[in-house]
Amino acid sequence: GAVVSQHPSWVICKSGTSVKIECRSLDFQATTMFWYRQFPKQSLMLMATSNEGSKATYEQGVEKDKFLINHASLTLSTLTVTSAHPEDSSFYICSATRTGPRNYGYTFGSGTRLTVV
Amino acid sequence: QKEVEQNSGPLSVPEGAIASLNCTYSDRGSQSFFWYRQYSGKSPELIMSIYSNGDKEDGRFTAQLNKASQYVSLLIRDSQPSDSATYLCAVSGGGAQKLVFGQGTRLTINP
């Protein structure tokens, strides 16, 4: 159990366009989803936390108008990179968890490799 | 001070030996602790989770947590070349709170 599907696995886009990445929890209701970005040879940096039906909470230094996060249902969160530029090229990874009486841990998607040309 | 700190390595260990990975964290309120393994270009995969002081063993892996000293470690016994990867320590406040990662330790197991 606890599977998170992330799509697309890779995408190449032109500078100035927008890209949407989807993260779906397949067999559980994800009350909370997290979006991370990872640059080469660096660790995962948390970008934002989203709770179903609420506005996302962004980490310091992350532009909320550039990285739009929507968590409209308990099984789907999306990250839209607006007006993408080459410096946005990175590995984006989502993670999902749920609240409850025990520790459910965090389930990660397989990641999306974004290349902006 | 970073929230979660690891020695970035690289750490090189001969095959069959014990690999020891360490991590310290700054938030005393942290409740949940995780070790992930990440291969190049892939998403992290969970190796161990630990929530209370002491040791937790799972096969060749042992996680150790000391909340008073704010450190968590991972021991890999009988290291195999397939264990070569980056190991990420991650900490959260428990429940559905955000998970913060250390910078990772690159481990190489030499045949």
Side-chain angles (χ1 to χ4, degrees), chain A residues 21 33-36 46-51 54-59 62-72 76-82:
Chain A
I21 302 169
M33 287 190 173
F34 307 90
W35 288 94
Y36 293 86
L46 180 65
M47 300 175 66
T49 301
S50 73
N51 293 297
S54 302
K55 288 186 177 180
T57 301
Y58 290 81
E59 294 297 303
V62 178
E63 300 174 58
K64 63 179 180 180
D65 294 331
K66 181 170 182 62
F67 299 98
L68 302 180
I69 291 171
N70 184 283
H71 192 169
L76 175 65
S77 177
T78 61
L79 166 67
T80 302
V81 182
T82 63

Side-chain angles (χ1 to χ4, degrees), chain B residues 48 57-62 75 77:
Chain B
M48 294 281 284
E57 186 175 319
D58 183 2
R60 296 186 296 113
F61 300 95
T62 299
L75 298 177
R77 290 181 298 280

Side-chain angles (χ1 to χ4, degrees), chain B residues 48-52 54-58 61-65 74:
Chain B
M48 294 281 284
S49 60
I50 187 166
Y51 303 99
S52 56
D55 295 0
K56 179 181 178 182
E57 186 175 319
D58 183 2
F61 300 95
T62 299
Q64 299 172 317
L65 173 62
L74 179 70

